[in-house]
C-alpha cells in the first residue's frame, strides 16, 4: 500500500515536470500557459473574466509566426490595472499630457511593487471580457500610435488586468504589462 502511494506521487511529480499536468491550468487549458510572477501564489485576486483575458493574451502570443514567451500573471499589476479602470470609470474627463499619463502610470504601478525596464497600459471600453483581446488585436479599439497592443511585444514578461462594470458602456478593462515586476507586500 505504502509503495503504491509513493509511486502515484512520483508519477504525478513527473507528469507536472514534463508539462502534462499544470497546477495553475484548469482542465482543457493545457495548451495555454499562465505562469505566475514570483511571489504570486495563485489567481484568486482575479475574476473569471480577468483570468480569461490573461489566457487569451498568452494564446495570442503563442499563435504568432515566431511564438512569444507567455507573460506571467502579476497580482500587483492587476491591482494597479483595476485601480486604473475604476479611475477611468469615475473620471469626468480632463486632458492630461502624455508625460502626465506616463507619470501617473509609473506612480500607480510603484504602489503595488517595483518595475524594471518598460511598463505600459492598454484599455478596452465596452467589450465583454471574453472578446477584449480579440478586439485589441483587430485594431478596433483606440490604438493611434501602435500597430499592435503592447502585450504582443517581446520586451514584456509580466502582465496584470483589472476590469470594472461601473461605467455606462461596460465593462471597462485595463491591461498593464512590464518588462520585469517585483510584487509588493
Amino acid at each position: 500500500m505504502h509503495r503504491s502511494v509513493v509511486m502515484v506521487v512520483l508519477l504525478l511529480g513527473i507528469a507536472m515536470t514534463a508539462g502534462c499536468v499544470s497546477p495553475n491550468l484548469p482542465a482543457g487549458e493545457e495548451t495555454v500557459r499562465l505562469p505566475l510572477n514570483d511571489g504570486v501564489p495563485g489567481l484568486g485576486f482575479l475574476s473569471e473574466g480577468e483570468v480569461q483575458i490573461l489566457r487569451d493574451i498568452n494564446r495570442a502570443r503563442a499563435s504568432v509566426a515566431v511564438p512569444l514567451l507567455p507573460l506571467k500573471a502579476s497580482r500587483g499589476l492587476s491591482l494597479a490595472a483595476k485601480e486604473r479602470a475604476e479611475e477611468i470609470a469615475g473620471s469626468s474627463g480632463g486632458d492630461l499630457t502624455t508625460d502626465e499619463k506616463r507619470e501617473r502610470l509609473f506612480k500607480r504601478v510603484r504602489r503595488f511593487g517595483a518595475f524594471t525596464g518598460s511598463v505600459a497600459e492598454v484599455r478596452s471600453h465596452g467589450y465583454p471580457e471574453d472578446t477584449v483581446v480579440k478586439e485589441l488585436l483587430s485594431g478596433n479599439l483606440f490604438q493611434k500610435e501602435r500597430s499592435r497592443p503592447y502585450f504582443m511585444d517581446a520586451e514584456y514578461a509580466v502582465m496584470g488586468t483589472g476590469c470594472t462594470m461601473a461605467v455606462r458602456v461596460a465593462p471597462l478593462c485595463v491591461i498593464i504589462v512590464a518588462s520585469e515586476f517585483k510584487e509588493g507586500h
Side-chain angles (χ1 to χ4, degrees), residues 23-104:
N24 65 349
L25 297 177
E29 290 287 324
E30 290 82 9
T31 59
V32 182
R33 288 192 49 221
L34 188 52
L36 304 175
N37 197 27
D38 292 340
V40 177
L43 299 173
F45 56 92
L46 295 170
S47 70
E48 187 176 314
E50 291 165 340
V51 171
Q52 177 71 43
I53 290 169
L54 298 182
R55 288 193 194 291
D56 288 348
I57 288 171
N58 277 346
R59 186 175 289 118
R61 287 175 63 90
S63 70
V64 294
V66 177
L68 300 168
L69 293 174
L71 296 174
K72 297 178 279 186
S74 165
R75 181 177 186 276
L77 291 179
S78 293
L79 292 173
K82 179 77 165 189
E83 185 178 281
R84 177 66 173 140
E86 290 172 358
E87 176 187 77
I88 295 168
S91 174
S92 60
D95 291 328
L96 298 175
T97 67
T98 302
D99 289 340
E100 289 169 328
K101 289 177 187 177
R102 183 177 23 252
E103 285 307 311
R104 281 188 176 190

Side-chain angles (χ1 to χ4, degrees), residues 124-163:
S124 163
H125 300 263
Y127 289 92
E129 293 159 324
D130 63 345
T131 64
V132 165
V133 175
K134 177 183 163 208
E135 293 299 328
L136 286 167
L137 290 171
S138 72
N140 290 340
L141 299 178
F142 180 73
Q143 294 183 58
K144 284 182 187 175
E145 69 284 350
R146 297 188 52 82
S147 61
R148 62 182 184 198
Y150 288 108
F151 58 76
M152 292 303 290
D153 285 346
E155 75 179 285
Y156 296 108
V158 188
M159 67 178 162
T161 192
C163 299

Side-chain angles (χ1 to χ4, degrees), residues 163-178:
C163 299
T164 184
M165 299 298 279
V167 288
R168 286 176 277 152
V169 180
L172 188 151
C173 297
V174 173
I175 300 162
I176 296 179
V177 291

Side-chain angles (χ1 to χ4, degrees), residues 3-19:
R3 181 180 244 161
S4 62
V5 171
V6 170
M7 287 299 291
V8 168
V9 170
L10 182 62
L11 287 174
L12 282 173
I14 292 170
M16 287 175 67
T17 303

